[in-house]
Amino acid sequence: MSRQLLAMALAPLLGLFILGIGNGFLATLITLRLDAAGESPVVIGWVSSAYFIGLALGAMFNDRLLLRIGHIRAYGSFASLVAVTVLLQALIFDPWAWFGLRLIGGWATVGVYLVIESWLLTSGDQKVRGRLLALYMISLYAAGVLGQLLLGVTDAMGEAAPFMVIGMLASLSVLPMAMIPRVSPLIEHAEPLSPMRLIVMTPTGVMGSFGSGLAVAAVYTLLPLYLQRIGLTVAQVGQMMAVVILGAMLLQYPLGRWSDRHDRQIVLIMIGAFCTLISAGMLLLPLTTWVLAVLLFLLGGGVFALYPVAVSHAADRAPAGALVRMSQGLLLINAIGSTVSPPLISPAMAWVGDAGLFWAFGALGLFLVGFFTWRRSVRPAPVPVAPFSPNTPMSPVGAELTVTEELVQGAIEHEHMEDLSNVVPEVEVAEPLVGPPPPDEPHIAFYHGEDDVAYGDQEKEALDSDARR
């Protein structure tokens, strides 16, 4: 990656990292504070869901505001609103007031992600998107781990101190973006595929994205409640949540690369079974500190890998012209799953007890295993069209970061082998005829399983010329 490109991407990534430190432990902090005040799991679930409702609403509408006022002013507005909502939570303690503040905070937070991701998207072409996405992931996960570790430190300073720290970090994150001597990039209004189109194209991708939203939201909002009720201190809860995010960061890529070499539906089945097994371990094993840490590390790896593998499976089926809109649509499906997760799962903790969280995780894992197995019997998975890339973007515009040059070329070549004209009727496929490309047409396969192939300049020029035609 060139120094110029790194310099262009550095400011938004630094802003993301600073904001992410505070945002990384805010959900945990709110859950612990509500529980300490004696609120029921159901109330905690509804307050937690407000944030994800805000995320979903912002994902659908914030791009219009961004187009109107520009990136830098939009970032300053959204980050300031995040800071205000967090600081108000330090002044006002009322569950329903917090519901409204969390909804506004979620709406503003996804606006921040929208600015950062669209800036990264326009910083380079498809050839470097994979590297930009890797830097994005490192910033996001590293901030999450560090934020969880700071939870105990800030909580020891007083009741209002954690909220003050988060508000200051949100305000400080404006500085890198405000100091950029560059004209704001232009973006287009996002038009994701409708849920019905997605279900027709990739039922497995839709269910995997929805199930991932259910599981990940429960991890962020209800797992801290479980950890506090089994006797952990606030600092220990933060440490265990950091272990979960660390597992997500370290295990997502190996699981994804495994899916490159095998039927992705089989990999999804195995992830569902793995999460069920970990849930059973949480219910049956004696939870010493080390056993708990290992199980949570593995749980984070399995739960957070579900969404990117499901998206990769969906990309194997999508025409090249529908890749971006498909990714945007699955992101919204994931947001819907996150929204309904706390209200659905928190009653289980109220009825069964704290262990109800892992009964719910186990039931979700078994359901996903059954669904993915059924879908594989109905329609086997296509051959992967491009190497797996981790998937963490939070906005529909940023979802395009995952659509790399390799993925587009792989989808085009897949269209030659299978008639995809009816998958998404309003999207034109690369070729109207089924069959291999003509002999005189450049044919470069980007997916090679175990082997990596380097291409020369002449082949790249031929590919670029073909794409321009």
Side-chain angles (χ1 to χ4, degrees):
M1 184 181 296
S2 67
R3 290 184 179 180
Q4 181 181 5
L5 179 59
L6 183 60
M8 292 164 59
L10 182 60
L13 289 174
L14 183 57
L16 171 69
F17 179 76
I18 295 172
L19 182 81
I21 294 174
N23 200 49
F25 72 90
L26 180 57
T28 304
L29 174 66
I30 290 173
T31 297
L32 298 181
R33 286 295 173 84
L34 290 172
D35 180 56
E39 300 295 340
S40 69
V42 176
V43 172
I44 295 173
W46 277 106
V47 174
S48 300
S49 72
Y51 173 77
F52 298 104
I53 295 173
L55 285 181
L57 293 174
M60 291 187 287
F61 301 115
N62 279 356
D63 58 332
R64 301 172 189 178
L65 178 62
L66 177 59
L67 288 169
R68 178 173 298 180
I69 67 175
H71 280 65
I72 295 176
R73 284 191 294 173
Y75 188 97
S77 302
F78 288 131
S80 298
L81 194 54
V82 170
V84 168
T85 58
V86 172
L87 293 174
L88 281 175
Q89 288 181 266
L91 298 175
I92 304 170
F93 184 82
D94 178 78
W96 299 114
W98 279 22
F99 180 93
L101 291 172
R102 287 296 281 161
L103 191 149
I104 297 171
W107 178 82
T109 300
V110 80
V112 170
Y113 286 122
L114 176 66
V115 174
I116 293 171
E117 293 172 3
S118 58
W119 195 291
L120 292 176
L121 179 65
T122 55
S123 294
D125 56 22
Q126 290 178 345
K127 297 179 181 179
V128 298
R129 284 183 189 171
R131 282 170 282 177
L132 287 173
L133 182 61
L135 292 174
Y136 179 96
M137 281 192 57
I138 292 171
S139 301
L140 192 64
Y141 281 126
V145 172
L146 182 58
Q148 295 291 346
L149 293 176
L150 285 178
L151 176 61
V153 176
T154 57
D155 191 73
M157 300 177 183
E159 291 188 357
F163 295 101
M164 294 175 62
V165 170
I166 296 170
M168 288 189 293
L169 288 170
S171 300
L172 186 62
S173 72
V174 176
L175 290 181
M177 294 292 292
M179 296 173 66
I180 298 177
R182 179 173 178 243
V183 178
S184 295
L186 298 177
I187 63 171
E188 297 180 358
H189 177 62
E191 292 289 346
L193 288 179
S194 68
M196 291 307 300
R197 292 292 186 197
L198 288 169
I199 291 172
V200 171
M201 184 175 71
T202 173
T204 297
V206 169
M207 186 55 66
S209 299
F210 183 77
S212 171
L214 289 173
V216 171
V219 166
Y220 276 122
T221 61
L222 298 178
L223 181 58
L225 176 61
Y226 169 85
L227 294 174
Q228 178 163 273
R229 290 191 171 183
I230 63 173
L232 271 62
T233 65
V234 171
Q236 290 172 329
V237 170
Q239 293 166 4
M240 289 300 172
M241 291 299 296
V243 167
V244 174
I245 299 174
L246 188 63
M249 180 172 64
L250 297 181
L251 297 183
Q252 184 177 131
Y253 189 76
L255 288 173
R257 290 298 292 167
W258 179 43
S259 76
D260 283 343
R261 298 169 173 85
H262 299 83
D263 183 336
R264 293 204 208 271
Q265 286 180 327
I266 291 291
V267 176
L268 288 169
I269 292 170
M270 296 299 293
I271 290 176
F274 179 75
C275 291
T276 302
L277 183 64
I278 296 300
S279 300
M282 292 292 296
L283 292 169
L284 300 176
L285 295 178
L287 295 179
T288 63
T289 301
W290 285 105
V291 171
L292 181 62
V294 170
L295 289 175
L296 291 180
F297 179 87
L298 296 175
L299 179 69
V303 165
F304 283 81
L306 181 60
Y307 177 69
V309 175
V311 172
S312 295
H313 168 82
D316 295 337
R317 177 68 181 168
L323 284 170
V324 173
R325 296 176 60 195
M326 175 218 68
S327 184
Q328 294 167 344
L330 291 178
L331 181 64
L332 292 178
I333 295 291
N334 182 262
I336 293 172
S338 299
T339 299
V340 301
S341 173
L344 280 179
I345 297 178
S346 56
M349 298 183 71
W351 298 334
V352 180
D354 302 331
L357 174 63
F358 292 99
W359 283 106
F361 274 143
L364 176 61
L366 287 175
F367 172 79
L368 292 177
V369 168
F371 183 87
F372 294 148
T373 303
W374 168 66
R375 287 306 307 169
R376 187 171 187 272
S377 67
V378 173
R379 185 174 69 184
V383 175
V385 300
F388 167 88
S389 62
N391 197 316
T392 57
M394 301 292 290
S395 73
V397 171
E400 192 173 348
L401 278 171
T402 62
V403 182
T404 61
E405 184 180 37
E406 291 86 351
L407 183 57
V408 172
Q409 181 63 20
I412 291 174
E413 298 204 3
H414 183 54
E415 291 170 12
H416 288 297
M417 305 172 191
E418 180 183 355
D419 186 1
L420 301 179
S421 58
N422 293 324
V423 174
V424 187
E426 68 268 25
V427 175
E428 293 185 2
V429 297
E431 295 287 342
L433 300 177
V434 178
D440 59 341
E441 184 175 320
H443 179 77
I444 302 175
F446 277 83
Y447 179 76
H448 293 276
E450 298 286 347
D451 301 324
D452 292 327
V453 178
Y455 300 101
D457 293 336
Q458 293 181 351
E459 292 169 307
K460 293 180 180 178
E461 291 175 2
L463 176 61
D464 292 340
S465 175
D466 181 59
R468 287 193 294 271
R469 293 202 303 270

